[in-house]
Amino acid sequence: MKLPELRDGDPGSPYRVSLVCLGNICRSPIAAVVLRQRLADAGLTTVTVDSAGLGDWHVGHRMDPRSAAVLRTAGYDETDIDGHRARQFQREWLAGRDLVLGMDGANLSALRRLAAPGERERIGLFGWFGAEGGDIPDPYDADGQAFDLVLDLVEDAATKLSDELARLLEHREPTTGN
């Protein structure tokens, strides 16, 4: 997927990325935490990342404890993990996001159905950026090893997405020096 340019053309605006799964307690919060860390490591201060679910059944809930545990074990930011509260993706958010990435093909289809024709090119699959190139499987009804697999797939995709964003935004990022 070719990353879309900044939606409003304003170089002072942040590049906004939204990550979406079903309930916003497993995959998309893992992906958001990992991607935020990759972006911070790359010094990409003009990118913001949020996450949401397509359904409303977990709105306001914390991250699934198994998601939080796999992130903690891998050393991710406690504040980012503990601060997560599930939200439901709203159709009107599409106009305010530069990139919206579903975690699997069903999420992608649902997001595309919500989108107006001019918004569809900003919607893709998070896994397209990873080596596997496909779905990030839903671990909710699986065992703890499924969460480890999700983290592995997400870390790979987040690293490559961060690299792509760095290339896209290199002229916008503040430089350091004398």
Side-chain angles (χ1 to χ4, degrees):
M1 172 180 194
K2 182 179 183 298
L3 292 179
E5 293 291 328
L6 190 66
R7 80 199 165 292
D8 62 10
D10 178 2
S13 294
Y15 192 95
R16 290 184 169 96
V17 179
S18 191
L19 307 173
V20 182
C21 66
L22 285 176
N24 195 221
I25 61 168
C26 295
R27 296 172 289 172
S28 60
I30 289 174
V33 168
V34 172
L35 183 57
R36 282 187 202 109
Q37 184 61 56
R38 294 296 187 274
L39 294 168
D41 292 346
L44 291 171
T45 60
T46 62
V47 181
T48 63
V49 177
D50 63 36
S51 68
L54 291 165
D56 65 356
W57 50 90
H58 293 299
V59 169
H61 294 185
R62 291 180 178 271
M63 192 181 301
D64 184 292
R66 299 165 294 177
S67 294
V70 77
L71 286 166
R72 283 188 178 99
T73 298
Y76 287 94
D77 185 325
E78 282 290 324
T79 305
D80 206 8
I81 296 166
D82 291 339
H84 175 78
R85 295 297 178 275
R87 333 181 285 162
Q88 184 177 15
F89 190 83
Q90 303 298 311
R91 191 240 151 305
E92 58 270 14
W93 294 357
L94 288 167
R97 302 302 189 277
D98 297 291
L99 184 62
V100 178
L101 298 172
M103 294 295 122
D104 62 33
N107 304 151
L108 177 62
S109 294
L111 288 165
R112 285 185 172 160
R113 282 191 303 274
L114 290 173
E119 297 167 332
R120 290 188 183 118
E121 66 273 1
R122 298 185 177 286
I123 300 171
L125 199 60
F126 185 77
W128 286 345
F129 295 94
E132 297 295 317
D135 289 354
I136 305 295
D138 190 348
Y140 187 75
D141 290 324
D143 63 17
Q145 289 181 346
F147 286 83
D148 293 327
L149 172 64
V150 166
L151 181 61
D152 289 344
L153 294 171
V154 162
E155 286 180 326
D156 181 51
T159 298
K160 291 178 177 85
L161 176 55
S162 177
D163 292 345
E164 291 287 324
L165 286 165
R167 280 190 283 283
L168 177 69
L169 303 171
E170 68 184 337
H171 63 282
R172 295 183 59 226
E173 290 299 319
T175 57
T176 58
N178 299 338

